[in-house]
Structure formats: C-alpha cells, structure tokens
Amino acid sequence: MKTRKMIIAAFIAVFSVVILNSCATKEHAINRLEKFSYELRDHSAYYDLDDWKKAAETFVDIRKDISKHEFEYTSEQKARIGKLEGKCAGYMSRGAKEGIFDRIKGIGEEINGILKGVLNAVTE
C-alpha cells in the first residue's frame, strides 16, 4: 500500500512539473514578444539593414514559439499577443518606411551632386 502511494505521489509530482513547465514556456513566448516590442520601440530608429534583418528573424522565431501554444492561450493572452504583435508591426513598418525615405533622400542627394558635377564640367 505504501509503495502504491509513493508511485501515485511521484506521478503527481512529474505531472505537475510538466504542466508548470508548459505554462512557463507559453508565457515565456509572450514575454519574449513584449521584450521585443520594447526593443523595437526604444532602438529601431537606429537600426541599419542588418539590424532589420535580425529583427525580422527574431519576430518570426517568436511567432513560431507562440504558434506552438496557439490552442493553450486564454482569450486575454490572445488579446495581449495581438496587441504586442500590432505594436511590433507598427514599429517595423515605421522603421522600414523611414529607412526607405532615408535611402531615397541619399539617392536624391547623390543625383543632385552628379547633376552639379555634369553642369560644372559642361560650363568649364
């Protein structure tokens, strides 16, 4: 009888660890997304092309992690995930837009310099 109680207690302990680990893992994915949104908010204005590539890879990795637990999340957790993903998408699109405008501005300045050089060469 005592052995049976010990087996049941061990089973409950192992089952509890598995359940708690699963909860920690799915919450960890949300926490990674939240931390990533803060990273984008605070630092994306200074990102170069390599930083944006890493950010995109990180976002995809976090999404994969979240999708593993897709059916385990509560409605509140899903709403939080959606809000955080929206923030990340906003920061990423704004950063991409600003990066494109900076490149266009740089190209425009380069073209302006070329035109001045051509005009100077023609008028000399």
Side-chain angles (χ1 to χ4, degrees), residues 34-59 62 88 91-100 102-103:
E34 184 172 42
K35 186 176 177 182
F36 182 63
S37 74
Y38 293 150
E39 166 66 25
L40 290 174
R41 178 194 68 198
D42 296 341
H43 302 287
S44 64
Y46 310 104
Y47 279 11
D48 61 14
L49 190 57
D50 288 334
D51 292 327
W52 280 116
K53 184 178 178 183
K54 289 175 190 171
E57 291 170 356
T58 299
F59 186 72
I62 292 170
C88 290
Y91 296 134
M92 292 175 86
S93 65
R94 180 178 50 182
K97 179 184 77 171
E98 289 172 359
I100 289 169
D102 287 346
R103 286 190 191 104

Side-chain angles (χ1 to χ4, degrees), residues 21-39 58-88:
N21 189 31
S22 174
C23 290
T25 302
K26 73 178 187 178
E27 191 62 36
H28 176 72
I30 297 172
N31 291 338
R32 280 184 64 204
L33 182 60
E34 184 172 42
K35 186 176 177 182
F36 182 63
S37 74
Y38 293 150
E39 166 66 25
T58 299
F59 186 72
V60 168
D61 185 53
I62 292 170
R63 278 299 310 139
K64 285 180 183 176
D65 200 12
I66 287 171
S67 68
K68 290 178 187 175
H69 307 284
E70 183 177 351
F71 300 109
E72 300 171 27
Y73 289 122
T74 65
S75 296
E76 292 81 18
Q77 288 172 318
K78 288 179 181 180
R80 182 175 171 210
I81 290 167
K83 184 176 180 180
L84 290 169
E85 287 177 340
K87 285 182 177 184
C88 290

